[in-house]
Amino acid sequence: MPKVLIPLAEGFEELEAVTIIDVLRRAGIEVVTAGLHPGPVTSTRKVAVIPDTTIDTARADEFDMIILPGGQPGSDNLNSDIRIDKLLKDFHAAGKPLGAICAAPIVLASAGLLNGRQATSYPTYRERLGGAYYLDKAVVNDGKFITSQGPGTALPFALAVVSRLAGNHASEDVARAMLVSDAMDDEVWDQRLFNSTIQALVGALELKDTYTQGHAKRVTEYSLSIGSKLKLSEAKLRDLYLGAILHDIGKAGTEDDLLNKPGRLNRREETLIREHPLKGTLFIVGIESLSHIVPTILHHHERWDGSGYPGRLKGEQIPLHARIVSIADAFDAMLSVRSYRPAQEKEAAIRELQEQKGAQFDPFLVDVFIECLNEAPFEIKDFSYYF
């Protein structure tokens, strides 16, 4: 049976603490509450609770997870206690999950545990999350960390914790027994399902073309690096993700022998290949949740000088996301072995991008992308972050 530690400080948010304790115990998870000092602990609204023990007796090796309820001054009291700081670092060092809700994610941030992580909190505390990437979502899962926004999100947060410790089936059983609405269930699960479906679709497409395995994910990663550098909003990064990962979906309607032809294409074959942006548009234009990314898929082969296809758009007539994907697509193509040529070295590909500034590519975006390449290596990530 999993075992969870919940520290309670004076001024904790009672709804968050009680909801989490209740849901976890319904799932058969052992919960131990620990006060910072002996005796009752009083909540924000003056509800007195007698903890099971004190924090001095708690050790990370005796628990599977630690969860910090929010509220004020409860979160600040947790934040100022060196015993909590040590416990959090011990849990993290042991590879165990950590959770926090409302204002309490600031305690994780103060311990230096959220740097480079996606996290959420009560909105007024987003500036105190240190090096975390703030997401305006009810519940955020990032590796070993689960964070949530406040009293109104305590139930989905608790169900997410149950999923982590006891499995999705246990969370679903508890939610069903509590008559949790389908809308809340959709909020917890449907985004991941949608993301997985998108990636499975792209994987099936790449089976047709043996020379582009992983191409869509690499193009997506490069595109998102540019989008992040431009400080695009979360919604626009999500749309850029979708446009990038689906940019070649129209090739599903292209003959396999054309995609894998070992030599250069003749004029007829090149015309057929150039139909893939139009075919991709036809694939998704009627899908309500994807129709807004049509311009990215349709125009990612336009050129800055107006000589591209299919619309011969020029300069900033080309949608921004299409200009970004165009650079990422070309760069990855240059680094990849194709049926008609070997891969180029990275330095040669960068030189080609620079030479094509103002001709094939947006000059400013090329400079942005080269900055990204120089700043950090790229690793394929779990793109569910962008949903």
Side-chain angles (χ1 to χ4, degrees):
M1 176 191 299
K3 189 176 180 181
V4 173
L5 175 66
I6 299 184
L8 297 178
E10 289 289 321
F12 70 93
E13 168 55 57
E14 54 269 77
L15 182 58
E16 292 164 2
V18 171
T19 299
I20 295 165
I21 294 167
D22 178 272
V23 171
L24 267 57
R25 287 182 174 168
R26 287 172 186 262
I29 296 170
E30 183 179 355
V31 179
V32 176
T33 56
L36 301 189
H37 308 287
V41 182
T42 304
S43 72
T44 302
R45 274 157 286 279
K46 309 305 180 187
V47 176
V49 173
I50 300 177
D52 300 310
T53 186
T54 61
I55 204 69
D56 293 315
T57 67
R59 292 172 40 183
D61 59 6
E62 296 176 345
F63 295 90
D64 298 290
M65 184 174 187
I66 184 170
I67 299 175
L68 307 181
Q72 286 292 21
S75 295
D76 284 341
N77 287 334
L78 291 174
N79 204 21
S80 62
D81 195 300
I82 59 173
R83 297 168 297 175
I84 296 295
D85 183 79
K86 182 180 184 304
L87 267 176
L88 294 175
K89 292 174 179 175
D90 288 346
F91 271 86
H92 184 251
K96 296 180 178 182
L98 299 91
I101 185 170
C102 194
I106 67 173
V107 187
L108 300 179
S110 295
L113 303 180
L114 292 184
N115 292 333
R117 297 281 184 177
Q118 292 106 41
T120 193
S121 68
Y122 198 80
T124 55
Y125 289 90
R126 62 182 297 176
E127 301 302 326
R128 294 179 61 182
L129 293 182
Y133 298 103
Y134 176 82
L135 301 185
D136 186 15
K137 295 175 64 175
V139 180
V140 173
N141 275 277
D142 186 354
K144 295 292 183 181
F145 296 91
I146 306 177
T147 52
S148 190
Q149 291 188 308
T153 64
L155 183 52
F157 173 66
L159 291 171
V161 171
V162 172
S163 295
R164 174 64 60 86
L165 295 177
N168 291 348
H169 66 284
S171 177
E172 291 166 1
D173 289 345
V174 171
R176 191 179 303 111
M178 294 178 67
L179 303 181
V180 175
S181 70
D182 290 340
M184 180 173 291
D185 192 54
D186 290 344
E187 174 67 19
V188 174
W189 302 118
D190 281 2
Q191 293 177 353
R192 291 183 230 171
L193 177 61
F194 181 53
N195 184 35
S196 298
T197 303
I198 291 289
Q199 297 203 37
L201 180 62
V202 171
L205 168 64
E206 292 184 345
L207 291 176
K208 287 172 59 70
D209 186 350
T210 57
Y211 291 93
T212 59
Q213 298 286 315
H215 172 69
K217 284 190 175 183
R218 293 190 295 271
V219 170
T220 302
E221 177 69 6
Y222 293 140
S223 297
L224 291 174
S225 73
I226 297 172
S228 296
K229 193 76 171 176
L230 296 176
K231 300 188 184 304
L232 298 184
S233 68
E234 282 300 317
K236 293 199 178 295
L237 283 173
R238 179 204 59 204
D239 292 346
L240 178 58
Y241 162 84
L242 289 168
I245 202 163
L246 292 173
H247 74 282
D248 275 343
I249 195 65
K251 287 183 178 179
T254 303
E255 296 176 9
D256 293 4
D257 57 349
L258 286 183
L259 295 175
N260 295 294
K261 184 177 178 180
R264 289 204 172 269
L265 303 175
N266 60 39
R267 182 171 296 180
R268 172 187 167 279
E269 292 166 337
E270 187 172 343
T271 299
L272 292 174
I273 286 287
R274 287 189 172 198
E275 290 178 352
H276 79 269
L278 290 167
K279 290 178 178 177
T281 297
L282 292 174
F283 272 131
I284 68 167
V285 71
I287 302 174
E288 183 178 354
S289 58
L290 294 177
S291 59
H292 60 293
I293 64 167
V294 162
T296 306
I297 293 173
L298 182 60
H299 296 298
H300 73 276
H301 280 295
E302 305 286 359
R303 292 173 56 101
W304 186 256
D305 62 10
S307 63
Y309 65 90
R312 299 184 70 84
L313 301 184
K314 183 177 182 179
E316 293 188 358
Q317 293 176 333
I318 306 167
L320 173 62
H321 289 187
R323 281 180 271 150
I324 292 172
V325 172
S326 173
I327 294 170
D329 185 27
F331 182 74
D332 186 68
M334 286 186 275
L335 294 184
S336 304
V337 175
R338 293 298 168 97
S339 57
Y340 52 86
R341 58 149 178 81
Q344 294 186 35
E345 296 293 330
K346 178 180 176 181
E347 293 73 17
I350 291 175
R351 285 196 299 272
E352 180 73 14
L353 291 180
Q354 292 172 323
E355 290 170 4
Q356 290 298 319
K357 287 167 59 174
Q360 184 174 353
F361 306 119
D362 181 328
F364 172 70
L365 292 181
V366 169
D367 290 340
V368 170
F369 182 48
I370 292 173
E371 281 185 35
C372 295
L373 291 173
N374 291 334
E375 286 177 2
F378 290 92
E379 298 176 358
I380 301 304
K381 300 176 180 176
D382 175 7
F383 294 115
S384 59
Y385 165 57
Y386 295 99
F387 281 83

